[in-house]
Amino acid sequence: LPVWFSINADYFFLQFTIPIDNGDSVKTAEADSQRTLYPYVTGTSIVAIKYKDGVLMASDMGGSYGSTLRYKNIERMKAIGKHSLLGASGEISDFQEILRYLDELVLNDNMWDDGNSLGPKEVHNYLTRVMYNRRNKFNPLWNTLVLGGVKNGESYLGMVSMIGVSFEDNHVATGFGNHLARPILRDEWHADLSFEDGVKLLEKCMRVLLYRDRSAINKLQIAKITEEGVTVSQPYSLKTFWEFKAFNNPTAGAEGSW
């Protein structure tokens, strides 16, 4: 409470001013407890595979403001510590918040200075707990995450959904990639993929997504992680062909079309 002192020759007294609650504090509390109901700036699919030397991951660089492709230079793949690579679909600001969590995690791990460092499995488990915890608070982080890495010669690849559902696999994809890219990966992926063949396979998946996903753009990066560390390519574009007959009149023969 605000307090004023008044002093004269004969006495002094304390004057208390008590604020009157006019409902503003209640409104403030309600405002502080609001949750994100809808993601605003979002990125689309991440596609990742294991190959013979490690893990490859692909992402385009688009950021959609609602249905408008507003940003075209957003990187959605980041190295985490010495052994891990993280990619994210969904809300870009929430991805930045997750990266802040991971920076603190890696810093605390390094401060032990015990010669050990977090591997991809540990980071994946941590992300699973974070996403599930936020979901239980009804304040989820609006992302689907892909975590790949290599430690002690073993490749690791897994994903986490925005509600904490997680799994490991030899190839994973998020967003439309889960529907359009994974069938290609099931047919063509094998454990002895070379780096060149792995890149070609990811480019094939990203080309299909470019044709079919309105949020995808023809500007992508491919990252690899091996025992030597993480390398992320410079952005580049794929060669495309738009003269397929189905592209000229995509609703031809569709029931109810004009």
Side-chain angles (χ1 to χ4, degrees):
L1 299 177
V3 178
W4 286 268
F5 291 91
S6 297
I7 302 176
N8 60 24
D10 299 323
Y11 63 91
F12 73 92
F13 63 90
L14 299 179
Q15 178 180 351
F16 293 88
T17 301
I18 301 176
I20 298 174
D21 187 355
N22 58 6
D24 291 342
S25 60
V26 176
K27 293 178 182 179
T28 302
E30 291 176 350
D32 291 342
S33 66
Q34 288 181 353
R35 300 290 184 259
T36 301
L37 301 179
Y38 188 81
Y40 285 89
V41 179
T42 59
T44 185
S45 305
I46 298 284
V47 184
I49 60 174
K50 290 181 181 179
Y51 77 110
K52 68 177 184 178
D53 296 324
V55 173
L56 290 170
M57 190 179 297
S59 164
D60 73 10
M61 303 188 71
S64 297
Y65 182 77
S67 60
T68 302
L69 192 56
R70 173 65 179 82
Y71 304 101
K72 300 180 180 179
N73 200 33
I74 295 178
E75 295 185 6
R76 295 187 287 119
M77 300 183 294
K78 297 291 183 181
I80 307 298
K82 299 177 181 178
H83 307 289
S84 302
L85 172 67
L86 179 67
S89 295
E91 172 62 46
I92 301 301
S93 62
D94 283 352
F95 178 46
Q96 294 169 339
E97 178 75 356
I98 291 169
L99 291 177
R100 188 179 67 82
Y101 293 162
L102 291 172
D103 284 343
E104 293 178 1
L105 180 72
V106 172
L107 177 61
N108 290 334
D109 181 59
N110 289 338
M111 288 172 64
W112 285 99
D113 196 21
D114 57 359
N116 193 20
S117 56
L118 290 170
K121 186 174 181 64
E122 290 80 26
V123 177
H124 185 220
N125 290 338
Y126 171 80
L127 290 171
T128 301
R129 296 299 92 208
V130 168
M131 303 300 277
Y132 186 66
N133 176 264
R134 290 291 294 263
R135 174 259 190 188
N136 284 343
K137 293 180 177 180
F138 295 92
N139 186 21
L141 294 162
W142 291 75
N143 298 102
T144 302
L145 306 173
V146 174
L147 195 286
V150 181
K151 186 177 182 182
N152 299 328
E154 293 186 6
S155 299
Y156 183 93
L157 182 59
M159 68 166 290
V160 188
S161 75
M162 65 175 286
I163 60 174
V165 176
S166 65
F167 62 88
E168 304 170 38
D169 208 340
N170 294 318
H171 49 77
V172 298
T174 67
F176 267 101
N178 208 27
H179 306 281
L180 302 176
R182 292 207 73 191
I184 299 173
L185 297 175
R186 291 188 186 103
D187 288 340
E188 301 186 22
W189 180 88
H190 56 87
D192 295 327
L193 276 174
S194 66
F195 172 75
E196 292 77 13
D197 290 339
V199 170
K200 289 179 181 178
L201 181 55
L202 287 180
E203 287 181 344
K204 182 176 182 178
C205 294
M206 298 302 289
R207 188 177 287 108
V208 170
L209 291 171
L210 175 63
Y211 289 150
R212 293 297 182 184
D213 182 1
R214 67 167 176 77
S215 297
I217 66 171
N218 194 11
K219 183 179 182 182
L220 68 146
Q221 290 178 298
I222 291 182
K224 72 172 182 179
I225 180 166
T226 64
E227 285 281 11
E228 285 72 38
V230 176
T231 304
V232 182
S233 74
Q234 292 297 315
Y236 68 99
S237 299
L238 297 173
K239 292 183 179 180
T240 57
F241 179 76
W242 293 95
E243 301 304 319
F244 294 109
K245 292 182 179 179
F247 289 167
N248 295 330
N249 188 3
T251 62
E255 185 176 348
S257 68
W258 290 99

